[in-house]
Amino acid sequence: MARFNGSSVVLLITMTLFLLTMTPKCGAVKTRHVRVTSELEGGLTLTVHCKSKDDDLGFHVLQPKGSYEFSFKPNIFTTSTLFFCSFEWPGAFHWFDIYVDQRDNKICSKCHWVVYEDGPCMYNWSDQQYNICHTWN
């Protein structure tokens, strides 16, 4: 039976993790960039609060046409990466899953969104328009 010392185990784990990130299924893990821009009418400010299971990105107040951006690396072992945000302006409060790995990982590494009163729309890199629109959660 083979015996491993501590250094061998660390090396084996490191090599395994490296190989997992380089497999065709996973590929090298690309950083995702999310940008949210306010398109509310009437000069309203938009308060955005984004979170994942592990990270709370805090509150951000956007002036009209203002943007908030954040970046992250998706989970390499599952397709479970999720960021959700609350959107609040005078008289309204909504939630939306701003990044869902199963929905977004193949269509954007730069996920740009505009927020309208009816819901958010993602930028479509194919036709260069914000026309991938969703309703609020």
Side-chain angles (χ1 to χ4, degrees):
M1 178 157 78
R3 292 187 179 229
F4 296 101
N5 64 27
S7 298
S8 299
V9 172
V10 169
L11 180 61
L12 181 61
I13 290 171
T14 303
M15 290 176 60
T16 302
L17 290 174
F18 175 76
L19 290 173
L20 281 172
T21 62
M22 298 309 293
T23 63
K25 179 178 182 266
C26 295
V29 179
K30 292 183 182 178
T31 298
R32 301 292 192 244
H33 305 276
V34 174
R35 181 173 70 194
V36 176
T37 301
S38 175
E39 287 291 339
L40 298 178
E41 295 182 7
L44 297 174
T45 59
L46 173 65
T47 301
V48 179
H49 183 199
C50 297
K51 300 179 185 185
S52 72
K53 181 179 73 170
D54 301 315
D55 299 299
D56 184 333
L57 305 179
F59 289 87
H60 302 273
V61 178
L62 307 183
Q63 298 304 315
K65 309 284 185 196
S67 296
Y68 165 63
E69 300 182 34
F70 64 94
S71 300
F72 63 93
K73 288 195 177 200
N75 185 321
I76 64 170
F77 298 108
T78 68
T79 56
S80 65
T81 302
L82 169 69
F83 277 88
F84 52 95
C85 301
S86 67
F87 299 91
E88 186 173 7
W89 61 90
F93 182 87
H94 299 285
W95 283 93
F96 183 71
D97 296 336
I98 205 75
Y99 184 87
V100 179
D101 198 64
Q102 291 179 326
R103 178 190 69 201
D104 301 327
N105 72 359
K106 300 234 187 316
I107 62 172
C108 68
S109 61
K110 294 180 181 178
C111 307
H112 295 182
W113 294 88
V114 292
V115 173
Y116 299 105
E117 287 81 355
D118 319 8
C121 294
M122 181 191 271
Y123 189 73
N124 184 335
W125 293 96
S126 299
D127 60 16
Q128 299 183 7
Q129 296 181 46
Y130 285 94
N131 61 8
I132 304 172
C133 297
H134 300 270
T135 57
W136 298 113
N137 285 12

